[in-house]
Amino acid sequence: MTQPARILLCDDDAAIRTVVAQALRREGHMVQSVATLGQLRAQLRAEAPDVLVTDVVLPDGDGLEHATALAAEMPDLPVIVLSAQNTLTTAVRATEAGAFDYLPKPFDLDTLALAVRGALARRRRGPDEAPVDSIDASLPLIGRSAAMQDVYRVIARVVATDLTVLVTGESGTGKELVARAIHDLGRRARAPFIALNMAAIPRELIEAELFGHERGAFTGAAQRSAGKFEQAAGGTLFLDEIGDMPMDAQTRLLRVLQSGEFTSVGGARVIRADVRIVAATNKTLAAQVQSGQFREDLFYRLNVVPIALPPLRERRQDVALLARHFLDRAGQEGLPRKTLSAEALALLEAHDWPGNVRELENLMRRLAVLGRDTTIEAGELRGALGEGGLRPPAVDIDLHEAVRGWLRRIAREEPVTLENGTLYDRLIADVERPLIEAMLDRHGNNQLRAAKAMGLNRNTLRKRLDDLGIDPALRPYQNER
């Protein structure tokens, strides 16, 4: 009979300790729970567990720093890190510390159970590789949503390798930022990062851009020129818009990826290709393979580690964080320092962002320059939305699903709201405010017409305006008729 695994859990939150311990015991494991680093060290001296599950921020120290020391003292002990500090920095620090896995809070118990099973399997067969060297880098990616946590975890695991990465996502989602993060956090960080946009190069010049050319190789080639593969030697070559690469260039690239060697255009000398490849596209390469526009064998060569970036509309909880970040950066660059009111932030989060993060950044910089006051109010933002720089949010959404999504976000980000008796009033206010404001906009702030459109009498509307703190005389409006 197989002996149950011994799991040591360290978290200062009693509720988390209880829930996690119960879930792992249902999996057949023995669980010992502690709340501090001191208790953790004492338990480790008393009995070595099979797997350690630990939080990062503990009352008496940093769980990741302790995990780093443990990796040296107990290299066979798999460590699973839990953290509410859901950033790329934390994910990378966990990987640097030699952690087997990193789970951002709130996490799914089934995911944790699966991680523990994987850690036990790894312990039985031995560690796969040593942890990466310590990295100190400025991290460009912003976001704490669950979708971005998935991205961070993949980046953290891939930086210690030279595996080819394919980044997919809509325009403006930050594909080059991901490529740069992989380079800056990896072992090639001191070598060049070279980017080439396939869509911006005439098709007849792509091979010369990639592989270089010799003097006289074609009309206008007055001297030898090194290509991007040579320029990126020892570093990372980022091939953006790879879906726009012509078929003949695809064949040449495939040959280089297979052999690791190439010759320049018009040259005979074989050159070793010492680069890491990160490719990106906003197209569906699998569909292009089916239509004959992209080589299937090249697709599989590139798609070794896929990273799919979510559009901004699918991670609305990151909008406020990103907006503040862009305003702060604008201030650091010498532009007027601005902040956003709560109403303006709500308006930003409601928008669909067809241009994704790039569109949000451009809007924040524009408002930093053109904004009248130090605080950007909802009225000013509505004016920017009406200038044609942004499209209004889509209206073809199901209200029932929108409310369910709102409740899921509240449960994830503000669980206390579900228990403190304010949920109903808050939901009604959050639905009622945009309804009233939209009707006032539609009817030029005429309260009588707005009330009639909503099936209310004027006195009822006035009371709701007072309750919600809406003063029609002070608000601009967008006429939607």
Side-chain angles (χ1 to χ4, degrees):
M1 183 176 177
T2 304
Q3 286 289 105
R6 295 162 299 172
I7 313 298
L8 179 55
L9 169 64
C10 182
D11 197 299
D12 61 338
D13 189 318
I16 289 179
R17 291 199 305 272
T18 299
V19 171
V20 170
Q22 289 176 347
L24 294 179
R25 286 175 184 134
R26 285 195 297 270
E27 292 280 313
H29 307 310
M30 294 191 301
V31 182
Q32 176 69 40
S33 299
V34 296
T36 66
L37 273 181
Q39 294 171 357
L40 173 59
R41 294 190 185 101
Q43 186 62 34
L44 287 171
R45 286 193 297 268
E47 182 181 32
D50 295 311
V51 176
L52 170 62
V53 180
T54 181
D55 193 9
V56 173
V57 180
L58 295 166
D60 53 345
D62 187 312
L64 277 180
E65 291 180 1
H66 186 63
T68 304
L70 275 178
E73 297 172 13
M74 307 175 72
D76 294 333
L77 175 63
V79 178
I80 297 172
V81 173
L82 313 176
S83 176
Q85 296 178 321
N86 302 338
T87 66
L88 176 57
T89 306
T90 308
V92 172
R93 283 188 64 211
T95 303
E96 291 174 357
F100 172 78
D101 206 347
Y102 158 74
L103 299 181
K105 296 180 179 178
F107 51 85
D108 185 81
L109 291 173
D110 290 338
T111 302
L112 175 59
L114 185 63
V116 169
R117 288 198 292 271
L120 290 169
R122 202 283 293 270
R123 183 179 175 87
R124 284 192 291 270
R125 66 174 182 267
D128 296 321
E129 59 183 34
V132 300
D133 295 333
S134 180
I135 298 167
D136 180 19
S138 176
L139 303 176
L141 297 170
I142 303 293
R144 300 193 176 195
S145 61
M148 289 305 293
Q149 296 309 307
D150 292 339
V151 172
Y152 297 161
R153 292 175 71 189
V154 176
I155 292 175
R157 290 183 176 187
V158 81
V159 290
T161 75
D162 277 336
L163 295 174
T164 302
V165 178
L166 179 61
V167 187
T168 58
E170 297 177 6
S171 295
T173 49
K175 295 185 288 293
E176 184 168 350
L177 291 179
V178 169
R180 284 193 173 275
I182 291 171
H183 173 78
D184 292 342
L185 297 170
R187 53 194 177 197
R188 294 177 177 266
R190 290 183 174 85
F193 175 90
I194 301 296
L196 180 63
N197 188 318
M198 295 298 166
I201 306 297
R203 59 183 300 122
E204 64 273 13
L205 295 180
I206 282 185
E207 289 195 34
E209 283 287 334
L210 281 171
F211 309 114
H213 62 79
E214 301 299 319
R215 179 180 178 180
F218 50 83
T219 303
Q223 60 185 14
R224 185 185 188 277
S225 176
K228 302 304 183 187
F229 268 92
E230 282 188 81
Q231 295 173 30
T236 300
L237 178 57
F238 175 53
L239 302 177
D240 199 7
E241 305 298 352
I242 192 73
D244 291 306
M245 176 179 264
M247 190 62 74
D248 50 353
Q250 291 180 33
T251 302
R252 185 92 187 269
L253 176 61
L254 175 65
R255 193 176 305 124
V256 175
L257 295 180
Q258 289 173 334
S259 67
E261 297 175 339
F262 65 95
T263 57
S264 61
V265 176
R269 181 172 62 93
V270 175
I271 303 171
R272 181 70 183 168
D274 177 22
V275 298
R276 183 196 193 136
I277 298 292
V278 180
T281 181
N282 60 8
K283 298 182 178 179
T284 305
L285 290 189
Q288 288 191 282
V289 168
Q290 292 298 317
S291 65
Q293 297 174 284
F294 201 85
R295 291 187 62 118
E296 184 175 20
D297 43 7
L298 178 58
F299 170 65
Y300 290 124
R301 281 279 178 178
L302 295 173
N303 197 40
V304 178
V305 179
I307 297 179
L309 286 181
L312 189 52
R313 63 182 174 275
E314 293 182 7
R315 55 181 186 114
R316 295 182 190 273
Q317 58 268 51
D318 290 336
V319 169
L321 195 66
L322 284 162
R324 293 188 183 106
H325 168 74
F326 293 139
L327 287 176
D328 287 344
R329 193 163 69 183
Q332 292 167 9
E333 294 173 359
L335 298 178
R337 292 191 175 273
K338 300 291 175 66
T339 59
L340 289 154
S341 70
E343 292 78 9
L345 283 173
L347 196 59
L348 290 176
E349 290 175 342
H351 188 68
D352 273 347
W353 300 107
N356 292 297
V357 178
R358 184 186 297 126
E359 186 178 18
L360 175 60
E361 179 179 13
N362 290 340
L363 176 66
M364 292 300 99
R365 295 180 69 84
R366 178 153 55 98
L367 289 171
V369 174
L370 302 179
R372 296 182 296 272
D373 301 315
T374 56
T375 299
I376 299 169
E377 299 289 351
E380 186 175 2
L381 187 56
R382 285 192 188 92
L385 296 178
E387 291 171 5
L390 295 171
R391 293 200 299 266
V395 296
D396 56 341
I397 58 173
D398 182 84
L399 181 59
H400 177 75
E401 287 303 315
V403 171
R404 289 176 66 87
W406 183 90
L407 289 170
R408 284 194 294 270
R409 181 178 66 81
I410 292 296
R412 183 173 60 252
E413 300 176 7
E414 306 173 42
V416 68
T417 303
L418 299 179
E419 309 295 339
N420 64 9
T422 65
L423 182 62
Y424 180 82
D425 288 341
R426 178 169 172 181
L427 173 60
I428 295 302
D430 281 3
V431 173
E432 189 176 25
R433 175 182 288 276
L435 169 63
I436 291 175
E437 290 180 338
M439 289 300 99
L440 288 172
D441 285 342
R442 184 172 183 82
H443 297 286
N445 281 339
N446 185 298
Q447 296 179 47
L448 184 60
R449 290 201 300 248
K452 184 177 180 181
M454 290 184 287
L456 302 176
N457 64 55
R458 187 174 180 179
N459 290 335
T460 300
L461 176 58
R462 282 179 173 173
K463 183 178 186 307
R464 297 310 300 147
L465 290 172
D466 290 341
D467 292 343
L468 294 169
I470 300 173
D471 188 346
L474 298 179
R475 64 185 300 276
Y477 67 88
Q478 300 297 314
N479 194 322
E480 298 177 359
R481 285 178 293 181

